[in-house]
Amino acid sequence: MPTTLWSSRFVFIMAAVGSAVGLGNIWKFPYITGENGGGAFVLVYLACIAIIGLPLMMSEVMLGRRGRKSPIGTMAAVANDEGRSKQWVGVGIMATLAAFIILSFYSVIAGWTMPYILSALKGEFSDISADNSGALFGQLLASPGQLLVWHSAFMVMTVLVSAGGVRHGLERAVTKLMPALFVLLLILVGYASTTGHFAQTLTFLFKPDFTALTAEGVLTALGHAFFTLSLASGAMMAYGAYLPQHVSIARTAVVVAIMDTGVALLAGLAIFPIVFANGLAAGEGPGLIFVTLPVAFGQMPGGGFFATLFFVLLLFAAWTSSISMLESLVSYLNEKGISRVKAAIGGGIAAWLLGITTVLSLNVWSEVTPLAMFSRFESKTLFDLYDYLTANIMMPLGALFIALFVGWKMQATHSRTELGAWHKVWFPIVRYLTPLALLTVFAFNIWGLAGLEAAWHWLTASGQG
Ligand code: PHE
């Protein structure tokens, strides 16, 4: 048993929401939605959250609470409990690795918020044009030195909390900051609704146009469902390990998923009206909010103040997420007898080093595309590849194995004790629907529609045989 448990269900919810709500919701969701044509993508994403993400979150929290160890330790312990192969520990290892890779580039992006806080304080956004805002962002990306400074600062922040033990630092921070972020987003949406492009935004986000959706878009939506809920990365397993036994896992997971999705949708509602009103491109890419929002703040009364507040809150949201990424590794090293302080510093330095390659891929190495021999990765830089590898490959794969484990390898009586009445709904979903949905997306992505048909024939044929 770990020595400290969360002090209440509320605190766990806040920590899990802190982990879930981050750059994924406010930075990534709007830009990938823009890149993938809006409505249909959003619909697939919501479906992925509901039928794959949510049941998986319950599974991970449950595994964490049963194992009461680091994700690696938990997978080993639970597999052992169930009399299953030691190989299942691989799920924990892959999750820990995914979290580590994510942390390396997440820290670089989170670092962007800091120069934006300074610019906001200096009033640099007041009446800024879309062109100038784009140029400002371009200057930041073009400077490896600046990016490195902010990346380093953010990593230090992450290591500091992680070294002190997640509970103390985190509990206080999330309970105040998360609600503040929510309110600020509402204010932004309120402002965005006055731009005259709100109706267009509603159409863009909620009227599905399936011709705009590609197979890769579906995989991106799926991957993002994991990323945004902090799944298949050990974070929820690690936090589940500190969850008191009496708390309802299912109800808690539902609350976390709703809050997370709510924040993402609010971010979309806040950003796209401004994008449309200023003639910016929805498919702008990773810079979307950093180019768009300053324009909005620049026109708003009290914009300097709101801009400062917004980027500060975004920084905190990213911070409460990055801490949970490092937790998988730190809790594992801690089990191996390395002190939390040393583990956090060591892990932080390693992720910081890897992060430097992301810094460089935004400028000096922007033409370096290591996997250009594959058409799908033709124009992908190192940063793009880290993102792709984690969200589109490691996480869906990890998720598949977790679903298979809880659905087929774990005794149903065990999961029933953990999940109570919800077990009835959850079990058939993770046993059949989740793996099938995941395999479908994989097949679709690798072989296209023809592959899907082939897989269907294979399935129906083996069903008869
Ligand atoms: N969920 C976080 C976000 O949306 C990212 C994250 C991924 C956190 C994996 C922990 C683990 O920003």
Side-chain angles (χ1 to χ4, degrees):
M1 282 281 263
T3 39
T4 42
L5 296 181
W6 302 109
S7 27
S8 68
R9 168 166 181 261
F10 176 70
V11 173
F12 172 78
I13 290 187
M14 281 297 140
V17 169
S19 168
V21 173
L23 297 173
N25 309 63
I26 295 165
W27 160 73
K28 197 172 178 190
F29 173 74
Y31 100 71
I32 59 177
T33 298
E35 281 182 343
N36 286 283
F41 176 85
V42 174
L43 198 68
V44 174
Y45 158 76
L46 292 176
C48 289
I49 295 276
I51 65 170
I52 304 177
L54 185 56
L56 209 78
M57 184 183 299
M58 297 180 190
S59 312
E60 288 197 29
V61 174
M62 173 187 81
L63 288 172
R65 187 162 78 177
R66 280 190 77 80
R68 292 249 185 253
K69 290 204 165 72
S70 71
I72 296 179
T74 284
M75 282 314 294
V78 178
N80 186 48
D81 263 5
E82 302 291 331
R84 300 298 177 179
S85 153
K86 282 203 172 65
Q87 310 278 335
W88 284 101
V89 77
V91 174
I93 296 175
M94 188 161 79
T96 306
L97 195 65
F100 175 80
I101 298 172
I102 293 173
L103 175 60
S104 78
F105 68 78
Y106 202 86
S107 165
V108 176
I109 315 285
W112 297 352
T113 59
M114 298 188 216
Y116 271 73
I117 294 169
L118 296 182
S119 294
L121 279 173
K122 283 188 275 184
E124 283 173 8
F125 298 149
S126 107
D127 286 321
I128 196 169
S129 68
D131 281 348
N132 287 342
S133 178
L136 204 67
F137 181 66
Q139 275 165 22
L140 173 64
L141 289 204
S143 161
Q146 266 205 63
L147 292 177
L148 187 63
V149 168
W150 304 120
H151 164 49
S152 312
F154 185 78
M155 198 60 90
V156 169
M157 287 169 61
T158 304
V159 167
L160 278 179
V161 177
S162 185
V166 166
R167 237 195 73 183
H168 295 288
L170 201 66
E171 284 201 15
R172 236 170 309 138
V174 286
T175 44
K176 304 227 167 31
L177 296 171
M178 285 296 129
L181 182 67
F182 212 78
V183 171
L184 199 66
L185 273 175
L186 283 175
I187 294 177
L188 268 176
V189 174
Y191 169 79
S193 68
T194 66
T195 58
H197 287 73
F198 206 63
Q200 189 185 349
T201 297
L202 291 177
T203 310
F204 179 71
L205 288 179
F206 301 114
K207 190 159 174 279
D209 166 12
F210 283 94
T211 57
L213 191 66
T214 59
E216 186 150 355
V218 175
L219 189 59
T220 304
L222 175 73
H224 189 62
F226 299 127
F227 184 89
T228 192
L229 292 178
S230 308
L231 299 175
S233 57
M236 289 296 162
M237 251 190 233
Y239 280 9
Y242 311 134
L243 188 65
Q245 197 61 42
H246 61 86
V247 173
S248 160
I249 291 178
R251 279 196 358 235
T252 310
V254 170
V255 174
V256 174
I258 290 179
M259 304 244 257
D260 186 73
T261 309
V263 171
L265 294 178
L266 282 180
L269 288 175
I271 283 151
F272 285 106
I274 305 162
V275 170
F276 297 138
N278 291 282
L280 293 158
E284 154 94 28
L288 186 65
I289 68 159
F290 290 92
V291 176
T292 315
L293 287 178
V295 177
F297 287 125
Q299 296 162 356
M300 219 185 273
F305 169 74
F306 284 121
T308 311
L309 193 61
F310 176 82
F311 287 108
V312 167
L313 290 174
L314 185 56
L315 174 62
F316 274 95
W319 193 11
T320 54
S321 298
S322 64
I323 295 162
S324 74
M325 289 170 204
L326 197 51
E327 188 59 16
S328 305
L329 183 62
V330 169
S331 58
Y332 171 70
L333 293 175
N334 200 213
E335 261 160 37
K336 291 282 152 200
I338 298 171
S339 74
R340 269 202 86 91
V341 175
K342 282 194 186 136
I345 294 177
I349 290 178
W352 176 79
L353 284 172
L354 185 63
I356 294 176
T357 61
T358 288
V359 164
L360 294 174
S361 84
L362 295 169
N363 36 67
V364 188
W365 293 349
S366 63
E367 305 296 319
V368 178
T369 50
L371 295 183
M373 56 281 206
F374 304 105
S375 63
R376 178 171 298 190
F377 302 122
E378 213 163 31
S379 55
K380 288 203 179 342
T381 62
L382 275 172
F383 162 51
D384 299 330
L385 289 174
Y386 298 144
D387 179 30
Y388 193 94
L389 174 70
T390 49
N392 293 20
I393 300 175
M394 294 173 87
M395 290 177 147
L397 213 56
L400 177 62
F401 282 110
I402 292 168
L404 291 177
F405 185 82
V406 298
W408 297 87
K409 300 290 174 181
M410 188 172 179
Q411 280 188 47
T413 47
H414 291 165
S415 46
R416 198 170 299 122
T417 349
E418 293 289 335
L419 293 175
W422 288 76
H423 190 269
K424 264 203 217 55
V425 198
W426 167 85
F427 191 64
I429 296 182
V430 288
R431 191 171 162 91
Y432 301 109
L433 194 60
T434 308
L436 210 64
L438 284 165
L439 287 171
T440 311
V441 177
F442 274 134
F444 192 48
N445 225 266
I446 300 174
W447 299 294
L449 206 58
L452 213 57
E453 277 165 13
W456 176 249
H457 285 308
W458 179 80
L459 262 180
T460 45
S462 62
Q464 287 154 9

